[in-house]
Amino acid sequence: MPRPLLATIDIAAMRHNLRVAKNCAPHSRSLAVVKANAYGHGLERGMRGFAEADGLGLIEVDNAAHLRQLGWQKRILLLEGFFDATDLQTISVHQIDTVVHCVEQLQMLEKARLDAKLDVHLKINSGMNRLGFMPAVCHDIYQRLRAIPAVRNISFITHFANAENAANANLPLSEQLQRFQTATQGLPGDRCLSNSAADLMHPECAADWVRPGVMLYGGTPADTPAAAFGLQPAMTLSSEIIGIQHIVAGDAVGYGSSFVASGPMTIGVVACGYADGYPRHAPSGTPVIVDGVRTQMVGRVSMDMITVDLTPVATAGVGSQVILWGRGLPVDEVASAAGTVGYELMCAIAPRVRIVESENV
């Protein structure tokens, strides 16, 4: 028998979450983000789950080409653009859209001799200060792009730093929106601004395109629970109890003996550890569900195992089902307890974890 740890991917939940994203911006087209192997859910599953999207966005040139080979015929956008001039021929052959965010990429395009024209997306740094041209040079960059024979359509894109916290004192959402509008004023072309947080909470940011990411997988970019937005978890990480220990006051659990029982306890050992993608830094108290009963992890996370408190779970025994996150236990709640974000947990699922699909919705 295989190890009982399992990641169940719900394709129907992915479809549902895309519909939520589209309903938030009914007059915009949708670019579903499938970078990082569709946030750990699998690129091919992402393509099927988001078949109703108007396009897919990712960062890997080879995976973009693979999407074409899998049969995706609508828009594909490279969100970080290309990394080398040699990428341009692949992009051209497969008719993949590309972001242009720096002078070096612009120069590579100017020198390229391609068989087919490309659609490019001029990235504007509206305050995030990662990728993109400063607003003051946007018109000049546009004119240089327009003069390149290989460039067909030019669109505009930016990324919000604080859409989940619009009143952020260091960079309000409204300031980024104003900078983008000023930079692109008078220039023709589609606009794409809204990430998941903006799509869910700021309809005023919706433009020609929205590009939802984490919300499509049932995660939330905000403090508000995903379920409150009508989102459903697309990944459920589950396992089983593989061993039980009965301990008394003063007994310690796990490496470093960091957790010490204050009284009699039943400890369950779960087949899941940091080598599977469970966060090693998750502390005692991180929630889990055993046999449908909410309880908590105790002690340190090991490479292949975690230990949980079975004292409140009267039915528990070897073979009892454990939900580590997903249906009944939001990934964002587990991530918050571990001091991280749901994005990281989903993306960190290790190759050794078995994956199956379901259609629960």
Side-chain angles (χ1 to χ4, degrees), residues 6-316:
L6 196 65
T8 302
I9 307 300
D10 191 336
I11 303 295
M14 296 166 75
R15 296 191 188 108
H16 168 85
N17 295 336
L18 175 62
R19 288 193 290 270
V20 172
K22 291 167 75 74
N23 288 339
C24 288
H27 303 297
S28 303
R29 285 169 286 177
S30 58
L31 186 86
V33 178
V34 294
K35 63 182 180 178
N37 196 31
Y39 287 51
H41 294 66
L43 187 64
E44 188 270 343
R45 295 184 194 94
M47 188 185 80
R48 288 190 284 119
F50 309 136
E52 296 178 4
D54 300 291
L56 300 175
L58 72 174
I59 65 171
E60 308 92 349
V61 176
D62 55 343
N63 282 338
H66 186 52
L67 283 171
R68 289 289 188 231
Q69 293 163 357
L70 289 171
W72 184 265
Q73 297 180 358
K74 291 182 277 188
R75 171 172 287 180
I76 300 173
L77 174 61
L78 293 170
L79 296 166
E80 294 181 4
F82 47 94
F83 303 102
D84 188 86
T86 58
D87 294 330
L88 285 169
Q89 194 59 44
T90 299
I91 293 170
S92 173
V93 167
H94 294 286
Q95 283 298 283
I96 298 165
D97 289 19
T98 180
V99 157
V100 174
H101 64 75
C102 63
V103 171
E104 289 77 8
Q105 287 178 332
L106 178 61
Q107 292 170 339
M108 283 186 268
L109 262 180
E110 288 174 328
K111 296 174 183 176
R113 298 296 178 262
L114 303 176
D115 296 331
K117 290 179 177 289
L118 304 179
D119 289 342
V120 302
H121 301 245
L122 198 165
K123 181 71 174 279
I124 298 168
N125 177 7
S126 58
M128 184 74 156
N129 288 319
R130 293 192 313 190
L131 302 180
F133 294 96
M134 298 304 289
V137 302
C138 180
H139 279 247
D140 291 339
I141 299 301
Y142 175 87
Q143 294 303 330
R144 285 182 64 176
L145 284 169
R146 190 70 285 162
I148 298 173
V151 171
R152 184 170 49 215
N153 299 311
I154 303 173
S155 300
F156 303 92
I157 189 169
T158 196
H159 192 63
F160 293 133
N162 301 302
E164 73 283 2
N165 176 25
N168 185 283
N170 293 320
L171 183 62
L173 177 66
S174 58
E175 175 64 22
Q176 283 199 262
L177 187 59
Q178 181 58 51
R179 292 177 186 179
F180 179 85
Q181 291 171 339
T182 300
T184 60
Q185 186 173 7
L187 297 177
D190 285 352
R191 273 74 167 155
C192 179
L193 298 90
S194 294
N195 54 7
S196 288
D199 186 52
L200 287 168
M201 295 183 285
H202 301 288
E204 72 276 10
C205 295
D208 302 288
W209 290 79
V210 294
R211 56 177 192 284
V214 72
M215 67 176 293
L216 299 179
Y217 306 94
T220 176
D223 292 333
T224 305
F229 293 118
L231 301 171
Q232 298 176 353
M235 175 191 290
T236 296
L237 186 66
S238 63
S239 190
E240 293 179 3
I241 300 295
I242 61 171
I244 292 178
Q245 299 290 337
H246 300 282
I247 65 175
V248 298
D251 284 346
V253 178
Y255 285 119
S257 301
S258 60
F259 177 84
V260 178
S262 60
M265 293 182 69
T266 302
I267 300 297
V269 181
V270 182
C272 180
Y274 61 75
D276 302 298
Y278 197 85
R280 184 180 181 278
H281 47 281
S284 294
T286 299
V288 298
I289 293 177
V290 180
D291 278 351
V293 178
R294 187 184 181 93
T295 184
Q296 61 185 11
M297 194 191 77
V298 294
R300 288 186 185 172
V301 176
S302 301
M303 180 180 287
D304 309 304
M305 292 171 279
I306 62 172
T307 43
V308 299
D309 181 9
L310 295 184
T311 309
V313 192
T315 61

